[in-house]
Amino acid sequence: MAALNVNKAEFIKSAASPNQFIRSSTPSVVFAGKSNVGKSSVINRMLNRKNFARVGASPGKTIHVNYFLIDGRVYFVDLPGYGYAKVSQAERDRWGKLMEQFFASEGLIDLGVMIVDARHKPTADDVTMAEWFKNSGCRLVVVANKLDKLKKSEIEPNMALIRQTLDLPEEVLLIPFSAEKGQGRDALMAEIMKELS
Ligand code: GDP
């Protein structure tokens, strides 16, 4: 199958309510992760860009589901980040409601890409997000980002802790990743390509 032309990437829309979610036969790869985990950086790395999905946007400010169409063949769906301490209760509630609506809708996710920090035990919010993905029945991969910040000897134990904390079934791939250096990009691209025809 032809490689994905990541140079052909366009922003489609920001959805703030369920009637704006995209329902399409084009496959959707849905990216989720807590604020500052490097979700934008991972998306940018996949697209070989610096500034396509925003990096370092003030966390918690954008409670939208952002849709990008890549090569006319696959949607990259950027879920709003979570777990940022400084957001108001009202914003937290808005996030919770939108995510509930997103995960309650059938057929919005073909591949879930859950991004966690390779350095740390996943947070309670990460565990909840992983549960939502698992319950949705979609295929899931977990990306452990910021690998470049780990010592070699820390990689294996940290990956084991992430797998155990998120209670990942054996078939869920856990990809050590560095958005900064590029490790893991090929492995994640291979998983995305499995969704394309
Ligand atoms: P988001 O809030 O999840 O979208 O996170 P961003 O993509 O804005 O990244 C948050 C911060 O982490 C930025 O300062 C990035 O430069 C940094 N960052 C993201 N990925 C990596 C990585 O793989 N390694 C390192 N060292 N820093 C990273």
Side-chain angles (χ1 to χ4, degrees):
M1 196 197 318
L4 193 63
N5 181 1
V6 294
N7 297 319
K8 254 180 82 187
E10 51 180 325
F11 171 75
I12 301 295
K13 70 163 152 181
S14 284
S17 62
N19 61 329
Q20 297 170 331
F21 295 155
I22 292 179
R23 291 172 179 78
S24 158
S25 56
T26 302
S28 289
V29 178
V30 176
F31 294 81
K34 68 180 179 204
S35 296
N36 225 35
V37 71
K39 183 160 52 66
S40 311
S41 301
V42 169
I43 293 171
N44 286 331
R45 169 58 70 178
M46 295 316 291
L47 301 177
N48 295 330
R49 309 278 179 108
K50 284 258 174 277
N51 271 314
F52 190 71
R54 295 223 307 281
V55 173
S58 49
K61 281 286 184 284
T62 48
I63 305 180
H64 286 104
V65 176
N66 289 320
Y67 287 90
F68 306 95
L69 182 60
I70 317 303
D71 198 15
R73 294 164 76 197
V74 59
Y75 285 107
F76 279 13
V77 184
D78 185 10
L79 297 187
Y82 51 83
Y84 185 61
K86 286 184 189 161
V87 304
S88 65
Q89 189 58 43
E91 281 180 290
R92 258 175 239 279
D93 292 347
R94 251 180 0 107
W95 181 89
K97 185 163 178 229
L98 192 63
M99 289 303 93
E100 228 166 79
Q101 291 164 330
F102 188 84
F103 282 94
S105 309
E106 290 284 313
L108 297 186
I109 311 172
D110 292 287
L111 173 65
V113 179
M114 160 96 206
I115 303 167
V116 297
D117 193 318
R119 295 170 296 177
H120 307 302
K121 184 179 160 123
T123 64
D125 288 337
D126 290 331
V127 172
T128 301
M129 182 55 79
E131 283 304 314
W132 282 351
F133 274 119
K134 284 187 270 177
N135 291 336
S136 79
C138 70
R139 204 158 67 80
L140 173 65
V141 299
V142 176
V143 163
N145 190 40
K146 307 198 182 183
L147 183 70
D148 56 282
K149 294 201 172 190
L150 289 188
K151 295 192 202 113
K152 252 214 165 87
S153 63
E154 294 173 318
I155 297 174
E156 237 184 67
N158 284 29
M159 293 307 120
L161 181 64
I162 289 166
R163 185 170 279 285
Q164 183 196 4
T165 308
L166 297 179
D167 194 17
L168 298 181
E170 231 174 277
E171 68 269 18
V172 173
L173 193 64
L174 174 59
I175 303 175
F177 198 100
S178 169
E180 187 141 309
K181 307 280 184 209
Q183 286 122 315
R185 182 185 185 273
D186 292 350
L188 180 55
M189 187 55 84
E191 293 306 305
I192 291 169
M193 291 305 291
K194 289 179 188 170
E195 299 301 325
L196 305 187
S197 46

